[in-house]
Amino acid sequence: MRSRNHPDTTRYNYVLAAAQLARYLKEHAPDFDSDAAADDPTLVTKGQVEAFQAWVVETRSASTALNKHKALQQFFKWLVIDEEEMDRSPMDRVGKPKTPEKLIPVLSDADTKKVLDLCKGKTFANLRDHAIIRLLCNTGARLSEVGDLTFDDIDLATESVRFRGKGAKDRRVRFGPKTARALSRYLRARATHRGHELPFLWLADRGGRRLAPNGIKIMLRRLGEKAGIERLHAHRWRHSYAHEWKRAGADTGDLMLVLGWTSDAMPRHYGRSAAAERALETQQRLGIGERV
């Protein structure tokens, strides 16, 4: 996977799925042959994989089970084709878990303001967190894209940022004056902060270390709890960005370029809540049945 330039997150998720299957076979599987399969993946059967998927659906979610299914497909494909350790993959006739189509709740401007208000102040952490949140809601970028930014990726002269998206696809996105102001204030504070010589854009409050994407994830969750917003995470702003774009009737192709999508299915998935809201607005405007 490294030779094919797959990102670290994809490699981690594939290894994690295989490790979780092994743990399930060791600790939860009902059949007697599961212990041997837990130590030797070439002994894994179709039934064991199906039982694992059902367990993930029951204990986690259908969407998590689907992610594990896709990862295990690649793992066993590697054992069959690349390593030639197996004649046939146990995934060959295992069906994908069906996932319910849910409307992802978008963040309102009022919700975002609540979170930004919690970042008011002149401490280094306040300035940094304010800039991160502004960048997330103003560009719709992924957590990893914002979290992995380097100092050189920000260009205040053109008010733009270079993101490194999935599949090693770079793109440059513009941001607005409020985000530019927040970044400028953070960069001035960063210039005298411990660790300012590091290439990473975001620095930890203490220790002169990098603030990694997982640190941003924890920070957002903490702010969300304080603001009374359940399950606040960076992807909520990505959905909100697509929602507002679709509501405005803007071009879908442009949205794909801005958000770094290559599949036509992504705008439909992310814009589903906007489509539902537009439908309700049309229903209310037409007033069908109200004229009788």
Side-chain angles (χ1 to χ4, degrees):
M1 291 183 71
R2 283 196 298 272
S3 70
R4 296 168 186 167
N5 199 29
H6 284 284
D8 291 343
T9 51
T10 301
R11 300 203 301 265
Y12 170 79
N13 288 332
Y14 282 9
V15 173
L16 179 63
Q20 288 173 330
L21 172 62
R23 190 179 305 121
Y24 166 80
L25 293 172
K26 181 73 72 174
E27 300 177 2
H28 302 285
D31 60 285
F32 294 108
D33 299 329
S34 59
D35 278 353
D39 296 324
D40 184 353
T42 65
L43 301 178
V44 173
T45 66
K46 171 178 175 286
Q48 289 169 336
V49 174
E50 289 177 330
F52 170 66
Q53 280 189 182
W55 178 78
V56 175
V57 170
E58 183 179 346
T59 59
R60 309 278 178 88
S61 68
S63 59
T64 299
L66 179 59
N67 289 334
K68 303 305 174 188
H69 177 95
K70 293 177 180 178
L72 290 174
Q73 273 187 323
Q74 297 304 314
F75 175 69
F76 285 107
K77 179 181 177 182
W78 170 72
L79 285 176
V80 172
I81 298 176
D82 292 79
E83 297 301 300
E84 298 181 351
E85 293 282 349
M86 306 177 72
D87 294 327
R88 183 172 182 177
S89 168
M91 302 296 298
D92 281 353
R93 291 175 290 118
V94 176
K96 291 182 179 180
K98 291 186 177 180
T99 56
E101 293 189 356
K102 297 180 180 179
L103 293 179
I104 304 297
V106 297
L107 287 168
S108 66
D109 289 344
D111 288 335
T112 299
K113 187 178 185 303
K114 287 180 184 178
V115 181
L116 288 172
D117 284 345
L118 292 172
C119 301
K120 285 183 177 179
K122 296 185 178 180
T123 68
F124 180 80
N126 287 149
L127 296 172
R128 180 201 63 200
D129 297 350
H130 188 267
I132 290 173
I133 293 165
R134 282 280 182 196
L135 199 57
L136 285 169
C137 68
N138 195 200
T139 64
R142 302 176 179 93
L143 172 63
S144 59
E145 293 172 343
V146 171
D148 290 336
L149 286 173
T150 66
F151 181 79
D152 294 332
D153 289 329
I154 298 293
D155 188 344
L156 290 177
T158 60
E159 295 188 346
S160 65
V161 55
R162 180 180 62 186
F163 290 126
R164 294 170 180 82
K166 290 184 176 180
K169 297 182 180 70
D170 286 8
R171 69 185 188 281
R172 186 161 286 277
V173 178
R174 299 289 297 273
F175 49 76
K178 291 183 178 179
T179 302
R181 188 181 306 118
L183 285 167
S184 179
R185 289 173 176 170
Y186 167 68
L187 290 175
R188 289 199 298 272
R190 184 189 183 282
T192 58
H193 192 70
R194 187 177 178 185
H196 67 273
E197 72 283 353
L198 294 174
F200 309 108
L201 178 62
W202 311 113
L203 301 179
D205 193 20
R206 297 183 182 88
R209 298 174 289 106
R210 173 197 181 192
L211 179 69
N214 191 56
I216 296 176
K217 181 179 180 180
I218 294 171
M219 176 268 291
L220 293 175
R221 187 186 305 151
R222 174 176 51 81
L223 290 176
E225 290 173 355
K226 287 185 177 180
I229 302 171
E230 189 177 355
R231 297 176 63 244
L232 179 65
H233 50 81
H235 231 67
R236 295 277 298 274
W237 278 297
R238 189 165 172 84
H239 276 277
S240 299
Y241 193 96
H243 172 86
E244 294 296 335
W245 188 289
K246 297 293 284 184
R247 279 203 69 204
D251 185 75
T252 298
D254 291 342
L255 176 63
M256 291 177 66
L257 290 173
V258 169
L259 295 186
W261 290 330
T262 55
S263 169
D264 293 337
M266 297 310 292
R268 292 194 295 271
H269 172 63
Y270 279 76
R272 194 173 294 127
S273 59
E277 189 168 319
R278 288 197 307 272
L280 291 176
E281 291 171 353
T282 301
Q283 178 194 26
Q284 189 174 28
R285 175 172 53 80
L286 294 176
I288 299 172
E290 291 292 320
R291 297 185 298 273
V292 178

